[in-house]
Amino acid sequence: MNHPPTTATLLALLATLACNVDRKQDDVPATDPPTPHVALLTSGPVSDAGWHAGAYEGLQLIGDSLGFEVSHQQTRTPAEFDEAFISYAEDGYGLIFGHGFEYQDAASRAGEQYPDVTFVVSGGSRPSANVVPLLFHLNEASYLAGMAAGAVTAAGIVGMVGGVEIPTAKGTFVAFEAGVKAVRADAAVLETFTGDWYDPSAAKEAAAAQLRQGADVLIHNLDAASFGFFQAVREAREGGSEAWAFGMNRDQNDVAPDVIVGSAVINIPAMFLRTATAWRDGTLGGVAEYAGLRVGAVEFVPNPAQEGVIPPEALARIDEARQAIIAGELEVPRIEYLEPEDDDPPSP
Amino acid sequence: MNRTLTPVLTATAALAATLAVAAALLALGGHSPGAVFAALLRGAFGTWDRFFSFTLVRATPLLLTGLAVALAFKARVWNIGAEGQLHAGALAGVAVAILLPVHSPLLVLPATLAAAAAAGALWAAVPAAMKTRMGVGEVITTLLMNFVAVFLAQFLVQGPLQEPRGVFNQTDEIPLAARLPALLPDTRLHLGFLLGIVIAVALWLYLTRTPGGFRLRAVGASPRAAEVSGRFRAGPVVWLAFLTSGAIAGLAGWIQVAGVTHRMYEGLSPGWGYTAIAVALLARLNPLAVVVTAIVFGALSAGGGAMQREAGVPEVWVRGIEALVILAVLTVDRSWQVLAGGGSRD
């Protein structure tokens, strides 16, 4: 071998670094931390101004309000889900959020392995003693948005543009449609799933296609792709047609105040804080947690910049329905995806 | 011996150079480089369990796809399609595992592995035929076949192979008989890693110790010269390289499902088939060295997770540092070649 001296230098550098690192490691406090540790896993970037960002805000809120230590990891594949759950559990984290139904399998496996750790799965489907699905009933807010849409549409045609066709997304559309028809029974409803939460051009195309088919009020269930969706509605308005849009997931009224009538909002941070508080008080576990209107986890928020677009009498009806949902007198349609408890032994 | 060791040293030196650049960037971004690197090393090598359950588990798909790419490239077959062949293999394995009415692991495991290898080979056969029959460049065709496979997987997990409840876009869990047993007790390391090592050794023996391996290397060195020598035709060698490469990549997909995820869903691979190109090139296409480079990449990726968890470094930074490593490797590799007076090309 005839390598230049740089090799040796680099190796020495690496060795030095490794040694330093080893010494550092000893300074890290051992297990049994005095403050509770809470972790969050997301499968997308927390800069999406939507689903993942809400979870990250929730995590920060838990840190600020309850004084817990918090940590976050973005994971790409289910193989990494297991790894992250195990790592956090091993490192003494007592409460771990997996933000999406996709974490259910890994959470169930980790739950068996670490009975003292509580795993919360947003949109999860299999509760157990220490695995808690967090069921966001965004369909309730979406139903109210549907009632508003039914009152606003002149053509009697409304459209819905979704990302990936998963039960939670589908559920918001089923409810939206029911809300529209509660106000205007003869309304026609169009539905498109682009297959992508993050592709604004696909969303724009799908929205434009629905507008061409005569729809004049559209709602979406997208992530970062919603910018394209709103652009399509904006262009329709600029072209002289009286088209309106609804926001979803986040309060998007300020994202496109010129075209949005209102938003079906999911308050993820508040729900995360509520969940962490219940965990601290020892009341979390065994069953899925309801996160809907009744606990302030979702809400329909009319856009203050477009006051008057929804007629006052419609607003009154919406408020009635809202009270009825909270009182448990009105059940909003949804897609059921909760499973009975597992009999199968979880995979190793 | 030299040829095996050189890539190992290349990897190490590149890592060191990258650490220096990354440390500067991390410091600029307000992170303590020492804490970040400590997290990286702890995540990848901190305990035996982390090494076996995290690093080696992450290295397994890279090992197999890396071997697939190395073999193809050795024969001058530019197979950019490991990603698609991986998906084809995973789909075939899952389909056989779910549909086969047999419940003995002794039958199910070989049947699913064979199905995955066959599907991967079949996926590679299309570009192979287009190259040998029509002279269509395989860089384009293998790449395009990736998209076909990924979309086919998307369609199948929403349709024919979807879980019976029809709720989520994923298949049912595969039966216990189809799952790869653990290689070490109480770790997540599965038999697939051992299988990868066996294939690496077999490929190395084939390439260096057999006439077939010699022909493959000859075609790789210069297909024209190989043809002109009149000893053999390049066509069959190209076919063999394509099919074997595809089969190994197909195994990678199914082994990931059978050993780790236990079901198929959209987005099974975060781009292993593409990372495999870096894994293979870094190993200078030497199958034994691929084992090492795959573990290096596996460690980097496992350590990346710990960098997020323990040091609060965002995922984009982690991926940026991974990319830096690849760049550094190529730079160091090239400068060694130049310093060594041109160096060999293999």
Side-chain angles (χ1 to χ4, degrees):
Chain A
M1 341 228 316
N2 190 12
H3 289 306
T6 45
T7 318
T9 322
L10 285 173
L11 279 174
L13 183 72
L14 182 74
T16 322
L17 262 168
C19 292
N20 272 333
V21 158
D22 272 349
R23 231 170 289 131
K24 278 246 168 65
Q25 197 174 341
D26 295 339
D27 300 339
V28 175
T31 47
D32 274 337
T35 47
H37 282 45
V38 178
L40 165 70
L41 307 184
T42 60
S43 51
V46 295
S47 56
D48 65 348
W51 176 247
H52 302 301
Y56 192 68
E57 279 168 37
L59 183 73
Q60 301 302 324
L61 188 64
I62 291 170
D64 294 343
S65 311
L66 303 176
F68 294 173
E69 282 285 329
V70 296
S71 173
H72 163 251
Q73 181 178 351
Q74 184 182 330
T75 51
R76 273 179 285 170
T77 66
E80 292 173 47
F81 300 173
D82 286 299
E83 190 185 297
F85 278 137
I86 292 170
S87 303
Y88 276 129
E90 289 282 341
D91 288 350
Y93 284 76
L95 176 65
I96 307 172
F97 288 87
H99 195 51
F101 74 91
E102 62 271 23
Y103 288 99
Q104 178 66 61
D105 286 349
S108 293
R109 284 194 284 265
E112 291 268 323
Q113 204 179 340
Y114 300 95
D116 298 335
V117 178
T118 303
F119 299 88
V120 176
V121 183
S122 304
S125 50
R126 284 200 308 276
S128 76
N130 61 332
V131 178
V132 182
L134 209 54
L135 303 180
F136 286 102
H137 285 229
L138 185 55
N139 59 324
E140 295 174 350
S142 184
Y143 178 86
L144 302 180
M147 291 180 70
V152 170
T153 178
I157 306 174
V158 300
M160 313 182 287
V161 179
V164 181
E165 194 172 347
I166 59 171
T168 40
K170 185 93 183 140
T172 57
F173 286 175
V174 170
F176 184 77
E177 183 171 351
V180 170
K181 292 194 167 153
V183 171
R184 188 160 171 174
D186 64 334
V189 177
L190 311 173
E191 180 184 84
T192 313
F193 282 94
T194 64
D196 194 321
W197 302 109
Y198 305 101
D199 183 350
S201 60
K204 186 178 171 183
E205 240 170 71
Q210 292 185 348
L211 290 162
R212 275 198 303 276
Q213 290 172 63
D216 59 354
V217 178
L218 305 188
I219 193 164
H220 75 84
N221 194 336
L222 297 159
D223 205 33
S226 64
F227 301 111
F229 166 86
F230 292 128
Q231 188 56 34
V233 178
R234 185 176 291 121
E235 283 171 14
R237 287 186 70 79
E238 283 163 0
S241 59
E242 183 76 350
W244 292 104
F246 281 85
M248 177 80 87
N249 292 322
R250 241 178 104 254
D251 183 348
Q252 295 186 308
N253 294 342
D254 56 348
V255 173
D258 49 331
V259 302
I260 294 184
V261 184
S263 296
V265 178
I266 182 167
N267 193 344
I268 299 169
M271 198 55 211
F272 268 40
L273 182 59
R274 200 184 144 85
T275 308
T277 311
W279 171 72
R280 183 194 62 190
D281 300 340
T283 58
L284 189 68
V287 289
E289 288 287 308
Y290 160 89
L293 269 179
R294 203 163 53 240
V295 296
V298 307
E299 194 55 90
F300 172 63
V301 185
N303 183 5
Q306 298 294 350
E307 223 182 303
V309 175
I310 309 173
E313 59 276 14
L315 278 174
R317 279 194 69 181
I318 290 169
D319 197 52
E320 265 171 45
R322 186 174 172 279
Q323 298 304 336
I325 293 169
I326 291 173
E329 292 155 8
L330 172 61
E331 201 175 324
V332 175
R334 63 192 304 263
I335 304 278
E336 188 55 59
Y337 54 89
L338 210 59
E339 288 173 38
E341 267 211 52
D342 244 353
D343 293 331
D344 266 358
S347 30
Chain B
M1 179 260 168
N2 205 346
R3 284 187 183 175
T4 316
L5 204 59
T6 309
V8 178
L9 291 170
T10 311
T12 319
L15 204 62
T18 311
L19 285 181
V21 178
L25 286 174
L26 284 167
L28 280 175
H31 301 282
S32 151
V36 172
F37 291 137
L40 190 148
L41 289 184
R42 267 203 308 279
F45 305 108
T47 63
W48 282 113
D49 186 52
R50 292 227 164 152
F51 181 64
F52 290 127
S53 293
F54 295 8
T55 296
L56 293 189
V57 167
R58 287 199 189 221
T60 301
L62 293 172
L63 168 58
L64 287 159
T65 49
L67 290 171
V69 171
L71 178 73
F73 281 20
K74 201 86 184 170
R76 206 174 271 254
V77 166
W78 308 120
N79 179 13
I80 315 292
E83 185 78 1
Q85 292 141 20
L86 176 148
H87 276 85
L91 286 171
V94 169
V96 170
I98 290 178
L99 302 176
L100 198 70
V102 186
H103 300 290
S104 155
L106 288 177
L107 283 173
V108 175
L109 279 182
T112 49
L113 288 168
L122 185 71
W123 217 254
V126 176
M130 290 175 79
K131 180 186 169 83
T132 51
R133 299 272 167 98
M134 294 171 254
V136 181
E138 73 272 27
V139 171
I140 297 292
T141 49
T142 51
L143 185 69
L144 290 177
M145 287 293 283
N146 288 347
F147 295 103
V148 180
V150 168
F151 285 121
L152 180 69
Q154 240 176 53
F155 163 73
L156 287 177
V157 300
Q158 291 177 22
L161 283 179
Q162 195 180 22
E163 53 168 10
R165 288 198 307 150
V167 174
F168 297 116
N169 294 340
Q170 59 186 18
T171 66
D172 224 354
E173 277 201 298
I174 55 171
L176 288 170
R179 298 177 192 178
L180 288 175
L183 194 55
L184 295 166
D186 296 325
T187 70
R188 294 171 58 234
L189 189 62
H190 51 85
L191 198 63
F193 181 73
L194 186 65
L195 217 57
I197 302 275
V198 169
I199 292 173
V201 173
L203 283 183
W204 181 76
L205 287 174
Y206 173 75
L207 285 173
T208 56
R209 299 283 186 276
T210 68
F214 174 76
R215 279 197 291 274
L216 191 139
R217 284 186 291 135
V219 169
S222 171
R224 285 275 303 148
E227 288 263 6
V228 168
S229 77
R231 298 283 182 90
F232 56 89
R233 301 195 321 109
V237 175
V238 168
W239 266 100
L240 181 77
F242 252 123
L243 296 184
T244 316
S245 174
I248 299 172
L251 282 177
W254 165 241
I255 283 174
Q256 186 64 15
V257 174
V260 180
T261 67
H262 299 159
R263 37 168 129 233
M264 177 73 191
Y265 42 81
E266 295 176 47
L268 172 75
S269 159
W272 290 312
Y274 301 108
T275 311
I277 297 168
V279 169
L281 288 177
L282 176 55
R284 304 232 186 135
L285 312 185
N286 177 331
L288 293 184
V290 167
V291 176
V292 179
T293 53
I295 293 174
V296 168
F297 274 79
L300 201 62
S301 134
M307 281 162 68
Q308 290 191 58
R309 287 192 299 273
E310 298 176 20
V313 181
E315 216 252 351
V316 281
W317 280 75
V318 172
R319 294 176 81 166
I321 289 174
E322 284 177 12
L324 270 177
V325 170
I326 299 173
L327 281 178
V329 162
L330 294 175
T331 314
V332 173
D333 190 39
R334 183 70 198 141
S335 47
W336 271 354
Q337 282 182 26
V338 171
L339 282 169
S344 69
R345 285 206 38 136
D346 71 357

